[in-house]
Amino acid sequence: MRVAVIGAGIAGLTAAFRLRLAGAEPVVFEAQARAGGVIGTERIEGFLVEFGSTTIQTANPVLDTLIRDAGLDMDLLPASKTARKRYIVRGGKPVAAPGSPADLVTSPLFSARARRRALREPLIPRSRPTEEESVADFARRRFGPEALDYGMDPFVAGVYGGDPKRLAIRHAFPRIWRMEQESGSIVRALLRGRKDKKNRMAGGMFSFRKGLGQLPEALSDALGDRLRLSAPVRRIERQGARWIVSGDRLLAGHAQTTWSEPFDAVVYAAPLHALASIALPEGPSLEPLSRVVYAPLAVTAMGFRREHVGHPLDGFGMLVPSVERSIRILGTLFTSSIFPGRSSASSMFQSDIARAPAEHVLLTTMIGGMRNPALASLPEKEAYDLVLGDLRRLLNISGEPVFRWHTAWERAVPQYDIGYGDTLDAIDRLEAAWSGWFMAGNYRMGVSIGDAAKSGEEAARRCLL
Ligand SMILES: Cc1cc2nc3c(=O)[nH]c(=O)nc-3n(C[C@H](O)[C@H](O)[C@H](O)COP(=O)(O)OP(=O)(O)OC[C@H]3O[C@@H](n4cnc5c(N)ncnc54)[C@H](O)[C@@H]3O)c2cc1C
């Protein structure tokens, strides 16, 4: 069975890898000159730069098996224990966030009143299962306004670059929504989950020794010449039971030649917004898909000499709530603290793992998102100035950065907004109407790398039925 896989992000690569292992003949067409989509790594001047994603969370069976089958389990790099601590900015300063419901009682992040309100959460009745509630309304209703401002709002910025007033709790955070529906209370569900080993999220944060880019690289290597780079798909047609997929071959960004090939099935694993640039057969309306908004994000990595940073950087990073109006960044990862590059066995400095050279630190900052979309397209110099200004205030930085790197994602993360159920229904309708057509990507089962990989695996499984 010949299968055209469109898009070589983690969803498309996973689908193709699984199809190949099952004996099918996938061909992956990728518009860009490299595979990986928003995952990619480069080491520049001794700093390890991640273009987009920085960490994966294991305890996702699809991702765990994928990593093993791709031969990368020995290269998994766990986040340091330090990274368990997270900071949220309050009053213009990073304040340690509570690590568990029990810590909430003493956490300086929340006022005594907010803590008392949050403790009443188990008494709040659950919402109707048919209701589409925003993340903001959900957090306010269950835990109170401060829990929204200093808890859910910065968390949403970190995961989606999103606006909690627009995102739908049941689609954007289905696990939390199910906790309310099944246990009647998030606190009760968490406490029960701690007791019940089966339910416990045992996984931790990981990367690979040479960065997250190792995952798409290993999958690409396994696909060999079944992966066609610089080959954007422009047209998809149906001819009886077959699919004809056509596109361009790019050289230095310009179309040099065109190509056209027959397939038995298509796995569409490019973003939803890319559908608009592809000529498609007649079929059910794509309008609910074209409505999906993607948050723009820019990533700025900065390296400093350690002695120039006053903050201990003893954590995963810091997130900025939208109510902290004097600060414009969305948040910063303390990248070189998450993966300090010391082997736990020998405590020797390992330069191939380290995210920054000795005596230096690397900070990775996100700007833009739905909160302030225009910031994602700032010219590089202005973005550096904005980020540096905020970092100086928040982390007490004195010297100049010794390293800078910036990238912008015009449409970075799909927003699972209120009404997203229509989008998911439209995808199902399309798959039902077009036999041999399957869809995978971060718009389907969640936006994390694990969820995108799961959607790829699921598309491959259905394709093989
Ligand atoms: C800045 C940032 C940081 C993130 N951090 C994390 C993190 O730390 N942990 C985590 O779990 N998740 C993170 N995420 C989310 C996660 O990385 C993504 O949701 C996931 O990798 C998306 O995978 P995908 O395959 O669905 O899509 P993509 O990676 O977007 O891949 C789609 C591919 O399709 C290609 N394409 C588009 N049009 C065409 C066409 N016409 N023909 C052929 N190819 C086409 C694109 O070039 C692209 O390569 C982050 C996302 C961003 C943007």
Side-chain angles (χ1 to χ4, degrees):
M1 177 162 67
R2 292 194 85 226
V3 184
V5 178
I6 301 170
I10 193 64
L13 289 172
T14 304
F17 184 70
R18 286 290 162 221
L19 287 164
R20 186 63 206 128
L21 286 189
E25 275 297 331
V27 180
V28 186
F29 298 104
E30 166 55 48
Q32 300 297 318
R34 62 163 193 89
V38 297
I39 308 173
T41 311
E42 214 170 301
R43 187 173 284 281
I44 308 165
E45 298 170 28
F47 291 91
L48 192 120
V49 171
E50 297 285 6
F51 305 152
S53 318
T54 311
T55 50
I56 47 172
Q57 180 138 26
T58 54
N60 166 329
V62 168
L63 198 54
D64 293 353
T65 315
L66 186 70
I67 290 166
R68 200 189 54 226
D69 291 352
L72 284 178
D73 39 358
M74 296 304 283
D75 279 25
L76 265 178
L77 182 68
S80 67
K81 286 203 175 79
T82 311
R84 287 186 195 153
K85 185 168 174 183
R86 316 241 161 168
Y87 286 93
I88 306 278
V89 172
R90 179 152 196 170
K93 290 194 183 68
V95 176
S100 69
D103 293 350
L104 197 68
V105 182
T106 52
S107 169
L109 182 63
F110 297 104
S111 67
R113 189 175 166 190
R115 292 201 292 262
R116 279 196 302 276
R117 170 64 182 83
L119 289 173
R120 285 196 353 246
E121 192 271 343
L123 308 175
I124 306 293
R126 76 189 85 194
S127 64
R128 284 195 308 278
T130 48
E131 200 172 318
E132 283 247 349
E133 191 176 26
S134 73
V135 168
D137 286 345
F138 177 90
R140 204 183 293 109
R141 177 172 62 78
R142 295 219 63 87
F143 292 98
E146 229 179 275
L148 165 63
D149 290 346
Y150 287 96
M152 207 57 179
D153 173 280
F155 179 57
V156 159
V159 178
Y160 281 89
D163 175 353
K165 294 189 289 305
R166 296 179 53 149
L167 290 166
I169 189 77
R170 67 186 297 160
H171 300 301
F173 297 103
R175 202 168 152 255
I176 298 181
W177 180 75
R178 275 199 305 273
M179 282 181 185
E180 184 194 50
Q181 291 301 315
E182 288 165 9
S183 305
S185 149
I186 311 302
V187 169
R188 231 180 354 249
L190 287 173
L191 293 174
R192 195 174 293 159
R194 281 161 75 103
K195 276 195 221 133
D196 180 355
K197 270 196 171 165
K198 266 194 270 168
N199 279 339
R200 195 185 292 172
M201 283 286 286
M205 293 293 203
F206 286 83
S207 180
F208 299 99
R209 294 169 64 88
K210 293 182 182 162
L212 270 194
Q214 266 190 273
L215 181 58
E217 262 170 43
L219 297 173
S220 303
D221 288 350
L223 290 166
D225 61 8
R226 292 180 185 87
L227 170 63
R228 315 260 173 88
L229 299 175
S230 302
V233 170
R234 304 287 190 213
R235 172 177 293 276
I236 303 173
E237 294 157 284
R238 295 179 80 188
Q239 255 179 25
R242 307 208 84 190
W243 292 88
I244 310 296
V245 178
S246 319
D248 295 332
R249 170 91 50 221
L250 306 181
L251 198 69
H254 299 289
Q256 292 296 304
T257 51
T258 55
W259 51 267
S260 190
E261 292 186 34
F263 292 93
D264 302 299
V266 173
V267 173
Y268 182 85
L272 290 179
H273 60 76
L275 282 169
S277 61
I278 302 174
L280 293 166
E282 289 286 302
S285 166
L286 297 179
E287 198 274 328
L289 310 191
S290 61
R291 248 191 284 143
V292 174
V293 173
Y294 279 69
L297 280 174
V299 182
T300 296
M302 279 189 186
F304 295 92
R305 291 199 60 80
R306 183 66 192 93
E307 72 264 22
H308 287 163
V309 182
H311 192 276
L313 303 181
D314 54 343
F316 189 82
M318 60 183 172
L319 287 167
V320 181
S322 51
V323 287
E324 292 284 319
R325 293 198 200 287
S326 64
I327 294 155
R328 294 198 291 165
I329 61 171
L330 292 173
T332 297
L333 298 172
F334 304 160
T335 312
S336 48
S337 302
I338 306 174
F339 302 111
R342 284 169 207 285
S343 132
S344 52
S346 65
S347 90
M348 290 282 287
F349 192 79
Q350 307 239 321
S351 58
D352 66 326
I353 305 177
R355 271 42 184 166
E359 312 302 331
H360 289 75
V361 295
L362 180 64
L363 301 173
T364 308
T365 301
M366 310 278 169
I367 56 174
M370 300 307 290
R371 189 184 296 174
N372 209 338
L375 297 187
S377 50
L378 279 182
E380 252 181 63
K381 165 84 175 69
E382 285 175 42
Y384 287 138
D385 290 348
L386 182 152
V387 170
L388 190 56
D390 280 353
L391 291 184
R392 282 197 194 289
R393 282 180 55 196
L394 292 166
L395 301 176
N396 191 15
I397 294 176
S398 49
E400 290 301 315
V402 295
F403 169 76
R404 298 162 190 241
W405 181 90
H406 180 80
T407 195
W409 300 97
E410 199 186 326
R411 286 188 273 193
V413 185
Q415 302 295 298
Y416 288 43
D417 283 343
I418 289 176
Y420 205 75
D422 292 347
T423 305
L424 297 173
D425 289 347
I427 292 173
D428 289 345
R429 274 199 303 277
L430 209 55
E431 288 187 337
W434 291 347
S435 79
W437 169 271
F438 305 93
M439 294 182 76
N442 59 359
Y443 51 81
R444 199 140 192 206
M445 303 176 108
V447 296
S448 73
I449 293 172
D451 290 335
K454 197 165 150 192
S455 77
E457 169 115 356
E458 181 58 20
R461 188 189 64 75
R462 284 179 291 122
C463 188
L464 291 162
L465 284 178

